[in-house]
Amino acid sequence: MACADRNDLPLFPLSNVLFPGGVLRLRIFEPRYLDLVRECCRDGSCFGVCLIIEGSEVGAPAVPAAIGTIARITDFYTLDRACSASPPRAASASASNARVCATTA
């Protein structure tokens, strides 16, 4: 299934935006977003990046903008090992800190 065909994308609300054609480097450390990355790496799915309207990036869930950008993970690595694969390898279940490079899908 193509990313654009999905109606139920997981969201990654941020205090900045990902413009179409752009690249976004993320440092992932919260369990809910490590799970999101793990799922996207495992099945090659996409996620939505949207601006935070109310709240913050860390802690309680934030209120996201109604419009965002569909993103795909193009690179993934944890602090203890690097990987750059196409498609990216699945995130380790024990990962406590990850860096992700995402581009628009």
Side-chain angles (χ1 to χ4, degrees):
M1 174 182 294
C3 294
D5 295 339
R6 292 194 53 181
N7 292 324
D8 61 340
L9 287 174
L11 293 181
F12 202 122
L14 295 170
S15 58
N16 57 4
V17 295
L18 173 62
F19 290 104
V23 175
L24 181 64
R25 286 175 173 69
L26 300 168
R27 182 172 174 257
I28 313 295
F29 54 89
E30 284 192 72
R32 61 185 165 171
Y33 297 121
L34 286 167
D35 291 343
L36 181 151
V37 168
R38 185 178 302 112
E39 180 181 327
C40 290
C41 285
R42 182 179 56 239
D43 59 17
S45 61
C46 297
F47 62 97
V49 175
C50 52
L51 184 65
I52 293 174
I53 299 295
E54 186 177 312
S56 65
E57 289 183 357
V58 179
V63 177
I67 297 174
T69 305
I70 297 173
R72 177 184 305 279
I73 295 172
T74 56
D75 193 21
F76 169 86
Y77 64 94
T78 61
L79 292 181
D80 62 334
R81 70 175 168 85
C83 70
S84 180
S86 184
R89 293 189 294 195
S92 165
S94 62
S96 60
N97 201 335
R99 294 188 188 269
V100 173
C101 180
T103 59
T104 55

